[in-house]
Amino acid sequence: MVPVPDLCVLGLGLIGGSLLRAASAAGWTVWGATASAEDAVAAAKDGYDVLADVDQALERAAQTDALIVLAAPLPAIDGLLRKVAAIAPTAKLTDVVSVKGPVEAAVTRLAPNTRYVGGHPMAGTSASGWVAGKADLFKNAAWVVAVEDETDIDVLGEVIGLALATGAHVVPASAAEHDSAVGRISHLPHILAAVLATVGADGGPLALALAAGSFTDGTRVAGTRPELVQAMCEGNRSALLDAVDDALGRLGAARGSLASTGGLAKTIEAGHAAKRALDEQKAAERTDVTIDLSSSGALEALRAVGARGGQVVGLDGVTVRARTS
Amino acid sequence: MVPVPDLCVLGLGLIGGSLLRAASAAGWTVWGATASAEDAVAAAKDGYDVLADVDQALERAAQTDALIVLAAPLPAIDGLLRKVAAIAPTAKLTDVVSVKGPVEAAVTRLAPNTRYVGGHPMAGTSASGWVAGKADLFKNAAWVVAVEDETDIDVLGEVIGLALATGAHVVPASAAEHDSAVGRISHLPHILAAVLATVGADGGPLALALAAGSFTDGTRVAGTRPELVQAMCEGNRSALLDAVDDALGRLGAARGSLASTGGLAKTIEAGHAAKRALDEQKAAERTDVTIDLSSSGALEALRAVGARGGQVVGLDGVTVRARTS
């Protein structure tokens, strides 16, 4: 169990291209393919094993029971899944898309016989293309691996092994838990930064001239390429709606309190306590725990590690080593 | 006109203490007083001219027609103004409070015969007390000086001269313009940071463990001491309400669009354009202009400099030197 599989990477942009490099550097047998001629040529020129098209890459994957990685943006996933279903219908499958529920649903709809375990390496998104990739992109990054009740343990072990091989640590969570969390800490910040930047600029040159650290910090990610932010946020529509509603509720409560009593203590103290919780979690002591993947209850134990803010840092045979507070 | 006056600083905390040091270093005749025994003793020990109490400091100010600086937080302003009205009722007066409309209103109510010109040096607020102060606190900071239609030109020149002597540049604006601007770029960021931190922490340890740059940037100022943030934001109640309403409107529009069409283009593109406007204004070429304070139209010309994102950088006799884009 949990041998190193062959790896087939579909999509050779920033994430897929970095993954091809990282797995290769870790000694894996890995090949890739992409619909982007530019990325394909660049990757081949750099000496990597690039097949002529996605079909050929999938045929080879079917022959060797390789682990297939969908390394394309969400809008391209359906097309890839149709090819997977046609050429390698029972393949071991993972992905690197920044939202997990919609990909899981697409797999169920279009390639239901694949052995799918979702993933999301949380590494750089501001540059793109093969040329922007690098073998150490995932070093020290969090790589969320989706753990559901019906998850195939063997494929789960292989996906965890792949993430660890790239230098990432693994955060186990269900797709729903993942999407809810990133809606709050990754997508909502972009919406609030856009709102703050706009309200500030509406104050005209005087307001912008007086802008100091609090405004600069709060609007920094509004400088990210809009099409990337849009794709990321819109892809997580349902969970992001929950996060936006929470923000609207809290901002509305602050508004009501300021208008009626003039007081903001509740809003500001809650924010300060939350910030302290973040800092304390970062500084918290960690305990090492091990989980036997072949044991019953392994999936629940993994999800519990993620839910407590912990991470998987090692895999020996079927034994996962995790650190949790 | 615009000779260097004597200076009387009431309050010797971070801002008042730094001002006493900076004016002293610039060669001004300056003394101070404070109700805080701790600050008074520390300042005297450091060799500065500290009088026994505020009454004595005001008596000396009345005798020498000194410029009096109210360097206390907003809740202490009324008490100081009553003393000013009793001991130095026609004094030249300025302040360093982070909100201008409420101070202006208090002066009109409690010390209507003073020659008042409001000010707001936008420098550090996270530490406090005499020990936290330093002579170069205002170096390169923006110091807003309130310019109203009825502003006394002589006192205006003295306040501008004081701000420039500390190494700050002066941003001229009416009290209402100032309060609206800081509501948007200084107070609203604190409210949004508090909301974001709280919604993130509501996602539990998993969400906090996945928090990366966008969340860290967006919540940084939620770490500021809550009582400082509260005093600052609550003091600017009316203008902050406008800014919060704008933010609620824009966040609500994003919510509606995400829920109905699933699209966020408008929100994200507006935020990106606003961020670009901020960056462009910072990088813009500046032109030097001069304004003769004794000319008619000087007050309007000064406010126009601020409204265009410009600043006053020099004062020679009655000639103000400004830089504007």
Side-chain angles (χ1 to χ4, degrees):
Chain A
M1 192 179 155
V2 195
V4 170
D6 288 355
L7 194 70
C8 168
V9 181
L10 303 181
L12 297 175
L14 173 68
I15 303 293
S18 296
L19 187 53
L20 191 71
R21 291 176 178 95
S24 179
W28 290 42
T29 297
V30 53
W31 63 93
T34 171
S36 158
E38 190 183 341
D39 286 343
V41 169
K45 226 166 144 181
D46 284 349
Y48 292 92
D49 191 359
V50 181
L51 301 200
D53 57 32
V54 167
D55 287 14
Q56 283 188 30
L58 283 172
E59 278 154 20
R60 183 164 160 195
Q63 284 155 21
T64 60
D65 196 27
L67 174 62
I68 298 169
V69 185
L70 307 178
L74 184 60
I77 291 296
D78 281 10
L80 286 177
L81 283 173
R82 287 196 187 91
K83 285 182 187 287
V84 170
I87 301 171
T90 62
K92 299 178 293 193
L93 187 66
T94 187
D95 74 300
V96 296
V97 177
S98 67
V99 62
K100 298 273 57 71
V103 177
E104 212 168 79
V107 170
T108 304
R109 200 171 68 246
L110 299 169
N113 297 320
T114 54
R115 290 162 283 162
Y116 171 70
V117 176
H120 175 207
M122 299 185 72
T125 55
S126 68
S128 60
W130 169 269
V131 293
K134 48 183 187 170
D136 64 354
L137 183 73
F138 310 108
K139 211 171 160 73
N140 301 320
W143 190 312
V144 178
V145 173
V147 179
E148 314 294 342
D149 291 340
E150 65 279 12
T151 290
D152 181 308
I153 289 285
D154 292 337
V155 183
L156 178 64
E158 291 186 3
V159 173
I160 290 174
L162 173 63
L164 295 175
T166 68
H169 57 262
V170 169
V171 176
S174 74
E177 288 169 338
H178 166 274
D179 290 354
S180 170
V182 296
R184 287 167 189 274
I185 53 77
S186 175
H187 303 158
L188 179 62
H190 279 93
I191 306 295
L192 291 183
V195 167
L196 178 58
T198 310
V199 174
D202 284 349
L206 173 66
L208 294 182
L210 297 181
S214 62
F215 187 75
T216 311
D217 285 349
T219 58
R220 187 166 294 123
V221 294
T224 314
R225 280 170 46 205
E227 62 274 22
L228 292 177
V229 176
Q230 208 184 322
M232 185 175 78
C233 291
E234 290 175 1
N236 196 22
R237 181 177 179 176
S238 163
L240 179 54
L241 264 177
D242 288 345
V244 170
D245 281 341
D246 280 6
L248 274 170
R250 292 195 173 272
L251 188 57
R255 198 269 174 218
S257 178
L258 188 61
S260 59
T261 68
L264 285 168
K266 210 173 153 190
T267 298
I268 289 162
E269 280 163 15
H272 191 254
K275 177 68 165 70
R276 221 170 36 227
L278 173 67
D279 296 342
E280 279 167 9
Q281 182 168 319
K282 275 187 184 154
E285 293 254 342
R286 307 276 159 166
T287 320
D288 279 9
V289 297
T290 58
I291 298 166
D292 182 342
L293 279 185
S294 65
S295 68
S296 74
L299 297 172
E300 290 79 357
L302 278 172
R303 275 199 301 258
V305 165
R308 279 155 61 194
Q311 51 192 234
V312 170
V313 294
L315 178 66
D316 307 301
V318 297
T319 304
V320 156
R321 195 154 35 82
R323 231 171 254 158
T324 182
S325 55
Chain B
M1 193 179 155
V2 194
V4 170
D6 287 356
L7 194 69
C8 167
V9 181
L10 303 181
L12 297 174
L14 174 68
I15 303 293
S18 296
L19 187 54
L20 191 70
R21 292 176 177 95
S24 178
W28 290 41
T29 298
V30 54
W31 62 93
T34 172
S36 157
E38 190 184 340
D39 287 343
V41 169
K45 227 168 145 181
D46 284 347
Y48 292 92
D49 191 359
V50 181
L51 301 199
D53 57 33
V54 168
D55 287 12
Q56 284 188 28
L58 283 171
E59 279 155 19
R60 183 163 158 197
Q63 284 154 20
T64 59
D65 195 27
L67 174 62
I68 298 169
V69 184
L70 308 177
L74 185 60
I77 291 296
D78 281 10
L80 285 177
L81 283 173
R82 287 195 187 90
K83 285 183 187 287
V84 170
I87 301 170
T90 63
K92 297 177 293 191
L93 187 66
T94 187
D95 74 301
V96 297
V97 178
S98 67
V99 62
K100 300 271 58 72
V103 178
E104 212 169 79
V107 170
T108 303
R109 200 171 67 246
L110 299 169
N113 297 320
T114 55
R115 288 163 283 162
Y116 170 69
V117 175
H120 175 207
M122 299 185 71
T125 55
S126 69
S128 59
W130 169 269
V131 293
K134 49 184 186 167
D136 64 354
L137 183 72
F138 308 108
K139 211 171 159 74
N140 300 321
W143 190 313
V144 179
V145 173
V147 178
E148 313 294 341
D149 291 339
E150 63 280 12
T151 290
D152 181 307
I153 289 284
D154 292 337
V155 182
L156 178 63
E158 291 186 3
V159 173
I160 290 175
L162 173 63
L164 294 175
T166 68
H169 57 261
V170 168
V171 176
S174 73
E177 287 168 340
H178 166 275
D179 290 353
S180 170
V182 297
R184 288 168 188 273
I185 52 78
S186 174
H187 304 157
L188 179 62
H190 279 92
I191 305 296
L192 291 183
V195 166
L196 178 58
T198 311
V199 174
D202 284 349
L206 173 66
L208 294 182
L210 298 181
S214 62
F215 188 75
T216 311
D217 285 348
T219 57
R220 186 166 293 122
V221 295
T224 314
R225 280 169 50 205
E227 61 275 22
L228 291 178
V229 177
Q230 205 183 324
M232 187 175 75
C233 291
E234 291 175 359
N236 196 21
R237 180 178 182 177
S238 163
L240 179 55
L241 263 178
D242 289 344
V244 170
D245 281 342
D246 280 5
L248 274 170
R250 292 194 174 273
L251 189 58
R255 198 268 174 218
S257 178
L258 187 62
S260 58
T261 68
L264 286 167
K266 210 174 153 188
T267 299
I268 289 162
E269 280 162 15
H272 192 253
K275 177 69 164 71
R276 222 169 36 228
L278 172 67
D279 295 342
E280 279 166 9
Q281 182 168 319
K282 274 186 185 156
E285 293 254 342
R286 306 276 159 164
T287 319
D288 280 9
V289 296
T290 58
I291 297 166
D292 181 342
L293 279 185
S294 65
S295 68
S296 75
L299 297 171
E300 291 79 355
L302 278 172
R303 276 199 300 257
V305 165
R308 280 154 61 193
Q311 49 191 238
V312 169
V313 293
L315 178 67
D316 307 301
V318 295
T319 304
V320 157
R321 196 156 34 83
R323 231 171 253 157
T324 181
S325 55

